[in-house]
Amino acid sequence: MPAVEVSNLSKSFGGVQALRGVSLSLGESEVLGLIGPNGSGKSTLLNVIAGVQKPTSGTVKLGGRAISGMRPDAIVKLGVAKTYQIPKPFASMSVRENVAVAALYGRRLRSVGPALEEADRTLAIVGMGDRSDLAAGSLTAQEKKRLELAKAIATGAKVLLLDEVFAGLSSEELRDSIALFRKMHEELRFSALVVEHVMRAVLNVSEGVVVLEEGRVIAAGSPDQIVHDERVVQAYLGSKGVGT
Amino acid sequence: MKGRTPFTLYGLLAVMAALAAVASFSGVATTVLLVNLLVFAALAYSINFITGMTGYVSFGHVVFMAIGSYSLAVLVSTYSTSPFEGIALGALLGGLFALGIGAVTLRFRGVYFAIASLVLALAGYNLVLQFPQFGPGGELIFYIPFQPLTVFFAIWGIVVAEIVLTFFVNRGKVGLGIRAIKDEEDAAAAAGVNPMKLKLYVYMLSGLFAGAAGAVFAWSTFGVNASSAFDLTFSLQMLAMILIGGMGTSTGPLLGASIVYLLYYELLTYPRLQGGQFLVVGAAVIVIALFVPDGIVGIIRRKYPSLKPVIE
Amino acid sequence: MVASYFLSDPSVLLSDLVFGLLLGCVLAVVAHGLNMIWGVVKVVNIAHGEFIMLGAYGAYFLNLYWGIGPLASAVFDAAIGFLVGYAFYYVFLHRELRGKETVSLQSEMVTLVATFGLSLVISTLALIIFSGNVVGIDYDPGTLLLGPVSVPLGGLYVAVVSILIISGTYLFLERTFIGAAIRAYSQDVTATELIGANPAKVASLATALGFAITMAGGALLTVFISVGINPLMGTLYAPISFVIVVMGGPGKMWGSLAGGLTLGIVFDVLQAVATPQIAFATGFLLLIPVLILRPEGILK
Ligand SMILES: Nc1ncnc2c1ncn2[C@@H]1O[C@H](COP(=O)(O)OP(=O)(O)OP(=O)(O)O)[C@@H](O)[C@H]1O
Ligand SMILES: [Mg+2]
């Protein structure tokens, strides 16, 4: 059974139709890339799956159970966590406390102590152990993105919805991040839906790719098939060029 | 955050013990002064639960105080019960009303919550005037023996309970979740926090203690009347106290209450300065809000980080 | 009681309704300045009522010493309000807003609390300077009889001026370059820079305009409250303004009128069929369902 099954999902904001009947399925431990031009509905899709926004119609199932329409905190506790494209750290709290919030509530721990320990473990995994006592508001943009990732992992989620966590990295940083991601995936065996503009990242971390355009899935397949798909090249790569 | 010796709590409880000793062994005037001071402190801790901890500005907080005042006044004047039953009813109704009101208004963010709470206070005032049970012009007066020390220990117990709760809420699971809500409510929900549940919880505490404090206030003034029970400057005073002391902390409200109280009623009550206390408090609120929004505790925290365990 | 009211002479009912509409127009303009600031700068001035009060006293003193009528005083008040608005922006808002794209909740709280403090300072000063006595302006141009319905002329003039002010701001925002810059600021602070305007200048101008309208509104209000000018009147008109702006939707110029008329009629009719207390309580509580059902205001 797939971990997440999205069927015929639509979402409109007033007049704007951000999603128009999107269906896809994400297998256990599968990493699926989600690409598409700006404004094609990628973030909206993640938000609706995570319950941050309510779908206009359609369903999301997690392990066979319908979760669409549930509150975001309930969905997190069922094991689905998302990162924000524009990071939203708890600015006045330390990095460690930020991650502890996710561990404490996402994993339904009873007290703060174990949550802090969990936070330390997670921060070590994402390579931010040396940042744990800084105020989250004082981090650099890249560190804030990584903190988003740490929070999502700390919730104990089995399904991660990652919104452009690789954006804005230099070539070496990107290489390190990809390596880190692969290592984490090997260790934690989560499923992930990875929104990305950076093609190199998509091709390197994901087993399959789904392409969105104007709220519709226009192609799906292996990374190799996708880069050679005529429609994709026209709709997406043609307009933006194959990014690094 | 965990397993540390709770110096702050010990310190605050020592101060409270000292106040109890002073009240027990000095004259009536001092006891009355301390009663008034602790009523202020109780109100400050009460608004601290919601506004200090979550950042939701409860402009209409007087509503809960008024609920407590009327609970006690009606019970004592109409049903001749003991004031303690009035306090219990005030606390109960304060908490229940906070749950009911909060279930609706805590869905509104920022200014919308603030204004909704303000509007409820005004509506409450007008409604009280509508019911004869609350006396003509919303005024109820009762005659019971003057027992300053009993009143003192009633409000003393309330403040001690608030201090202990504030301290443990802050350092426990709820406190961490609440701070996340204060910083980024949506992100908190995306991390698994149920914001509504936590906000309702602290709002309920807030209403409960404001109700209890309002009941004691009515007891200490032998009555209640609508225009002072719903006087919005009370809300401002409560805000001023936690703002000056330090929002959300367990030391701030007592510190702020002492300062505002002394300014208001002891230092600035010379006839020549009629109204002067309002000017000073209003101006202090402006300056502190704009320039040092984390209050005295915040200043100490930044200037003397080593004192952190003692003041937080 | 209710039934008997509606069974009474229909001309009484109509006169009441007309009065409610006129009252609604003046409440609209009283709230309009707040709407401007809230809609554009995204900050709520809790001391709004105190500036209405100052506008009312401005009209009172101009009338007392120079015999100037409330309508003419509104112009003086507006000029003063404009300057006060600039000062207000730079003292209270500039530090919190400059260089930011959105107003954070923290800034929102800071400005709410600081302006709450300001309202206490101003009303206390007013109590000291003007004393607690209630005063009024003797201005009554008579009554217009339209068949059985009587329309107070003073109220009619004020209503007309109110509507002129509201439509004037609407046209200003829609048709002028500065207006476009203000609209741009209200939607996206960085967009202001894109059209070549300085965000702080735009925000301060909008605040100044808001204050000018607020104080002028205070002067116009005096026509309706022939004896009701007092240092604490702000505590009534500020919440009324909050309700009106939320009902109309912050930043929607016609929203002030929609909210004002709704509240004017609710107050007026409920005062007639029930009691003033019920009228006020209902008017204030109206805010809650509006916030739940139409958080963007009753206008589309
Ligand atoms: N809260 C919202 N209100 C109104 N419209 C929205 C909202 N969120 C997204 N949209 C619109 O929905 C569409 C899809 O937006 P979305 O953010 O999902 O795109 P995206 O694929 O993530 O784009 P990007 O690559 O720029 O991140 C866009 O047209 C956007 O303007
Ligand atoms: Mg996006």
Side-chain angles (χ1 to χ4, degrees):
Chain A
M1 189 182 341
V4 175
E5 179 98 56
V6 172
S7 14
N8 216 5
L9 207 60
S10 294
K11 171 72 185 174
S12 51
F13 298 102
V16 182
Q17 281 247 307
L19 298 177
R20 308 166 193 243
V22 172
S23 299
L24 60 81
S25 86
L26 175 69
E28 297 281 354
S29 306
E30 184 186 10
V31 177
L32 203 56
L34 183 62
I35 64 173
N38 289 104
S40 56
K42 305 181 296 291
S43 298
T44 306
L45 179 57
L46 297 201
N47 285 337
V48 172
I49 296 175
V52 169
Q53 289 166 346
K54 303 272 167 270
T56 311
S57 65
T59 55
V60 179
K61 282 186 178 161
L62 176 71
R65 170 179 182 186
I67 58 166
S68 28
M70 290 173 69
R71 283 196 322 268
D73 54 286
I75 292 179
V76 172
K77 285 168 187 145
L78 292 175
V80 180
K82 70 159 252 155
T83 69
Y84 281 94
Q85 180 172 0
I86 299 164
K88 292 191 178 190
F90 309 128
S92 75
M93 299 164 64
S94 71
V95 168
R96 191 161 175 251
E97 287 169 331
N98 266 262
V99 182
V101 170
L104 187 56
Y105 284 90
R107 291 174 190 262
R108 300 171 185 266
L109 301 179
R110 306 272 304 274
S111 64
V112 177
L116 288 168
E117 285 160 23
E118 186 62 45
D120 289 338
R121 272 197 292 279
T122 310
L123 285 168
I125 292 176
V126 303
M128 285 184 81
D130 56 337
R131 289 282 180 276
S132 57
D133 289 327
L134 293 180
S138 69
L139 296 179
T140 66
Q142 283 314 321
E143 289 170 334
K144 282 181 185 162
K145 283 202 175 256
R146 195 166 283 203
L147 175 59
E148 286 286 317
L149 183 61
K151 280 156 78 177
I153 292 174
T155 61
K158 278 285 155 221
V159 177
L160 300 182
L161 308 169
L162 307 180
D163 204 344
E164 306 206 8
V165 287
F166 297 108
L169 295 173
S170 74
S171 188
E172 297 98 87
E173 287 167 339
L174 183 61
R175 194 189 53 216
D176 294 347
S177 291
I178 290 173
L180 174 72
F181 182 87
R182 291 185 141 170
K183 190 173 137 257
M184 286 189 312
H185 185 245
E186 219 128 273
E187 215 169 290
L188 303 168
R189 302 306 300 163
F190 47 74
S191 321
L193 196 53
V194 183
V195 170
E196 212 38 86
H197 277 304
V198 184
M199 279 312 269
R200 196 175 123 204
V202 180
L203 303 181
N204 274 291
V205 300
S206 51
E207 297 141 47
V209 178
V210 171
V211 188
L212 275 188
E213 191 200 17
E214 293 183 355
R216 286 197 190 84
V217 176
I218 57 161
S222 72
D224 211 42
Q225 288 168 324
I226 292 298
V227 272
H228 296 108
D229 186 301
E230 269 306 308
R231 289 209 299 162
V232 176
V233 172
Q234 263 194 359
Y236 176 64
L237 306 175
S239 65
K240 277 209 68 154
V242 183
T244 36
Chain B
M1 174 144 274
K2 58 163 176 171
R4 231 169 39 198
T5 322
F7 287 119
T8 313
L9 185 59
Y10 293 163
L12 284 168
L13 293 180
V15 171
M16 291 305 289
L19 289 181
V22 171
S24 307
F25 299 113
S26 55
V28 171
T30 312
T31 309
V32 169
L33 186 154
L34 290 178
V35 165
N36 294 336
L37 171 68
L38 288 187
V39 168
F40 266 50
L43 291 171
Y45 277 103
S46 138
I47 201 171
N48 193 44
F49 279 113
I50 182 72
T51 304
M53 289 186 185
T54 68
Y56 278 67
V57 182
S58 183
F59 275 145
H61 215 64
V62 276
V63 159
F64 303 114
M65 187 187 167
I67 287 171
S69 295
Y70 278 101
S71 299
L72 182 129
V74 168
L75 280 191
V76 172
S77 71
T78 314
Y79 301 97
S80 311
T81 67
S82 97
F84 287 100
E85 289 162 68
I87 296 175
L89 183 67
L92 179 73
L93 290 183
L96 286 179
F97 267 86
L99 275 182
I101 293 173
V104 177
T105 60
L106 285 171
R107 295 155 33 143
F108 313 143
R109 300 248 177 117
V111 297
Y112 291 96
F113 172 81
I115 289 175
S117 79
L118 183 72
V119 159
L120 281 169
L122 291 160
Y125 170 69
N126 281 292
L127 289 176
V128 160
L129 293 180
Q130 195 60 38
F131 290 98
Q133 290 85 339
F134 299 124
E139 182 155 29
L140 289 172
I141 295 171
F142 47 82
Y143 303 96
I144 53 173
F146 178 56
Q147 302 165 301
L149 210 55
T150 319
V151 181
F152 173 83
F153 277 103
I155 192 70
W156 185 86
I158 291 169
V159 174
V160 167
E162 288 180 314
I163 290 174
V164 173
L165 256 169
T166 305
F167 185 81
F168 285 107
V169 166
N170 265 340
R171 59 160 48 194
K173 177 170 178 175
V174 171
L176 199 60
I178 286 285
R179 284 169 63 203
I181 291 171
K182 188 176 185 178
D183 274 358
E184 272 298 343
E185 188 163 337
D186 294 326
V193 179
N194 180 347
M196 198 60 195
K197 186 170 143 193
L198 295 196
K199 287 187 295 185
L200 266 180
Y201 174 64
V202 288
Y203 198 45
M204 192 264 300
L205 287 179
S206 176
L208 183 152
F209 282 113
V216 176
F217 182 67
W219 184 6
S220 73
T221 54
F222 298 99
V224 55
N225 78 72
S227 50
S228 63
F230 287 96
D231 185 351
L232 287 171
T233 50
F234 261 117
S235 291
L236 181 65
Q237 289 172 36
M238 296 184 219
L239 277 175
M241 293 185 267
I242 59 169
L243 190 67
I244 291 171
M247 296 249 213
T249 63
S250 44
T251 337
L254 188 59
L255 202 59
S258 311
I259 293 172
V260 171
Y261 177 73
L262 292 177
L263 269 180
Y264 246 65
Y265 293 102
E266 304 303 327
L267 302 181
L268 290 169
T269 41
Y270 301 103
R272 233 160 35 89
L273 278 171
Q274 267 293 314
Q277 66 269 42
F278 291 105
L279 283 184
V280 173
V281 169
V285 166
I286 296 173
V287 170
I288 292 179
L290 292 177
F291 298 100
V292 267
D294 48 0
I296 294 176
V297 170
I299 296 176
I300 298 178
R301 200 186 277 165
R302 264 179 282 124
K303 289 240 161 98
Y304 310 100
S306 58
L307 283 180
K308 263 180 94 161
V310 193
I311 52 159
E312 279 185 351
Chain C
M1 195 169 163
V2 176
S4 67
Y5 173 72
F6 286 109
L7 289 175
S8 68
D9 185 357
S11 67
V12 174
L13 204 150
L14 259 179
S15 298
D16 264 358
L17 203 63
V18 167
F19 188 81
L21 287 173
L22 298 182
L23 177 68
C25 289
V26 73
L27 293 183
V29 77
V30 159
H32 196 56
L34 179 80
N35 186 2
M36 183 81 143
I37 303 170
W38 190 343
V40 176
V41 194
K42 310 285 190 280
V43 163
V44 179
N45 174 19
I46 296 292
H48 178 68
E50 277 58 48
F51 291 97
I52 296 171
M53 179 266 295
L54 291 178
Y57 269 102
Y60 171 71
F61 285 114
L62 286 170
N63 183 267
L64 190 66
Y65 294 121
W66 289 292
I68 300 173
L71 297 183
S73 299
V75 180
F76 285 92
D77 271 0
I80 295 170
F82 197 76
L83 299 178
V84 172
Y86 266 109
F88 176 87
Y89 176 83
Y90 282 102
V91 174
F92 283 85
L93 307 184
H94 189 56
R95 277 167 42 91
E96 290 298 322
L97 301 180
R98 76 175 148 210
K100 292 195 190 150
E101 283 182 30
T102 52
V103 182
S104 65
L105 274 177
Q106 165 73 16
S107 296
E108 218 168 57
M109 194 189 76
V110 164
T111 48
L112 278 177
V113 175
T115 55
F116 201 174
L118 181 67
S119 80
L120 187 66
V121 169
I122 296 178
S123 56
T124 309
L125 280 176
L127 265 174
I128 294 172
I129 296 169
F130 304 144
S131 89
N133 297 339
V134 174
V135 295
I137 299 172
D138 191 13
Y139 170 76
D140 186 8
T143 309
L144 180 69
L145 279 177
L146 283 176
V149 180
S150 57
V151 181
L153 268 179
L156 188 63
Y157 297 158
V158 169
V160 170
V161 174
S162 300
I163 292 174
L164 283 178
I165 291 177
I166 291 170
S167 38
T169 51
Y170 175 77
L171 290 176
F172 171 73
L173 291 187
E174 293 293 321
R175 299 285 161 81
T176 65
F177 174 74
I178 304 176
I182 291 178
R183 276 186 296 133
Y185 185 96
S186 78
Q187 264 151 31
D188 180 357
V189 176
T190 37
T192 326
E193 283 168 321
L194 291 182
I195 67 166
N198 175 338
K201 280 191 182 153
V202 174
S204 55
L205 176 68
T207 311
L209 276 176
F211 270 73
I213 298 167
T214 301
M215 290 193 55
L220 297 177
L221 181 63
T222 60
V223 175
F224 271 82
I225 44 170
S226 48
V227 283
I229 305 173
N230 71 80
L232 299 180
M233 62 191 277
T235 53
L236 175 62
Y237 291 99
I240 285 180
S241 304
F242 298 149
V243 173
I244 289 174
V245 175
V246 172
M247 277 209 266
K252 292 178 190 159
M253 295 295 111
W254 295 115
S256 307
L257 201 58
L261 290 176
T262 312
L263 211 57
I265 292 174
V266 166
F267 278 165
D268 202 57
V269 170
L270 283 181
Q271 276 195 37
V273 298
T275 63
Q277 284 80 35
I278 299 242
F280 281 128
T282 312
F284 291 137
L285 288 179
L286 220 51
L287 180 95
I288 308 286
V290 170
L291 275 178
I292 295 171
L293 301 174
R294 291 203 65 97
E296 69 290 348
I298 53 181
L299 290 189
K300 276 272 170 197

